[in-house]
Amino acid sequence: AQKITQTQPGMFVQEKEAVTLDCTYDTSDPSYGLFWYKQPSSGEMIFLIYQGSYDQQNATEGRYSLNFQKARKSANLVISASQLGDSAMYFCAMRENDNAGNMLTFGGGTRLMVKP
Amino acid sequence: GAGVSQSPSNKVTEKGKDVELRCDPISGHTALYWYRQSLGQGLEFLIYFQGNSAPDKSGLPSDRFSAERTGGSVSTLTIQRTQQEDSAVYLCASSRKMTGLSYNEQFFGPGTRLTVL
């Protein structure tokens, strides 16, 4: 079974509007962390935001916020006031704490295209 | 400060040849990871080094893949007898040592694009 599922292979959003990128995950570990990364066409992976499984509040970082619904095992990324520079691939990833390697498991990504 | 660096940025090789990919992590980062990203796909974990501990090789797809980390710093990923399906971007990341439930962000390098003809 997929541990991280991103069901939207591609999305369009109008500049200045908000957009939600979906991410669901599957783990039996009670402690885990969820990450979102942005990958522009240049290829580098840029860390955006983190949510810990025990965090009481949804994470926010500037225009990025994470809609964390633990019971539903979803961690959707919300980008407010979209900008043209937000056009990129977005990856959701999970780190399970009982994984001694602490490696990240990534979803398949969502390509976001911002229209002017 | 300097980020994670990788070399070469691009590598084209013929099927059956061996290749070496290099990663220089951020100074002071004890954890180092190798991932592979095939075209249009997410990242696939390959191998993880943490300090002087034995590496976690659970993600290596075959025995043609190996990696070393010398002196707890620079790492080399070696692919022997390359196949066309090895064509991908190989990404290296580093982080500080994980402690408890705290998270330490993984900082990624720019990747090496490997093309096997």
Side-chain angles (χ1 to χ4, degrees), chain A residues 83-105:
Chain A
Q83 301 172 355
L84 296 177
D86 294 335
S87 294
M89 285 290 291
Y90 288 80
F91 291 98
C92 179
M94 177 173 64
R95 173 187 62 76
E96 293 169 285
N97 196 53
D98 66 358
N99 182 338
N102 296 308
M103 73 284 287
L104 296 174
T105 302

Side-chain angles (χ1 to χ4, degrees), chain B residues 31-97:
Chain B
L32 187 148
Y33 309 78
W34 283 98
Y35 295 88
R36 176 170 72 174
Q37 186 176 28
S38 300
L39 185 63
Q41 304 295 314
L43 278 69
E44 171 192 14
F45 165 74
L46 297 177
I47 189 169
Y48 159 72
F49 295 89
Q50 173 60 62
N52 295 321
S53 303
D56 179 347
K57 305 178 182 179
S58 59
L60 295 179
S62 78
D63 59 7
R64 296 187 295 106
F65 288 72
S66 64
E68 290 184 341
R69 188 178 185 193
T70 54
S73 181
V74 172
S75 176
T76 303
L77 177 69
T78 301
I79 309 173
Q80 295 178 309
R81 306 180 302 282
T82 52
Q83 304 294 312
Q84 288 182 332
E85 60 262 30
D86 299 335
S87 296
V89 176
Y90 289 83
L91 289 152
C92 175
S94 71
S95 72
R96 293 187 300 271
K97 181 182 168 78

Side-chain angles (χ1 to χ4, degrees), chain A residues 48-116:
Chain A
L48 297 178
I49 195 167
Y50 166 83
Q51 180 85 43
S53 60
Y54 292 119
D55 292 345
Q56 295 297 311
Q57 294 187 334
N58 287 345
T60 61
E61 287 287 347
R63 293 187 299 113
Y64 304 108
S65 61
L66 206 152
N67 183 2
F68 181 46
Q69 298 188 42
K70 193 171 181 177
R72 298 178 62 180
K73 293 189 174 178
S74 74
N76 298 340
L77 176 70
V78 180
I79 305 174
S80 62
S82 298
Q83 301 172 355
L84 296 177
D86 294 335
S87 294
M89 285 290 291
Y90 288 80
F91 291 98
C92 179
M94 177 173 64
R95 173 187 62 76
E96 293 169 285
N97 196 53
D98 66 358
N99 182 338
N102 296 308
M103 73 284 287
L104 296 174
T105 302
F106 285 82
T110 295
R111 180 172 298 282
L112 177 66
M113 291 152 282
V114 180
K115 298 186 290 185

Side-chain angles (χ1 to χ4, degrees), chain B residues 11-21 64-65 77-84 86-87 90 114-117:
Chain B
K11 176 71 176 179
V12 180
T13 190
E14 294 179 346
K15 178 182 173 181
K17 295 286 178 72
D18 298 351
V19 295
E20 284 189 351
L21 312 180
R64 296 187 295 106
F65 288 72
L77 177 69
T78 301
I79 309 173
Q80 295 178 309
R81 306 180 302 282
T82 52
Q83 304 294 312
Q84 288 182 332
D86 299 335
S87 296
Y90 289 83
L114 175 66
T115 303
V116 182
L117 301 175

Side-chain angles (χ1 to χ4, degrees), chain A residues 4-20:
Chain A
I4 297 285
T5 302
Q6 295 180 252
T7 58
Q8 306 151 313
M11 286 194 70
F12 284 95
V13 64
Q14 196 68 42
E15 192 179 8
K16 299 181 184 177
E17 292 185 350
V19 64
T20 297

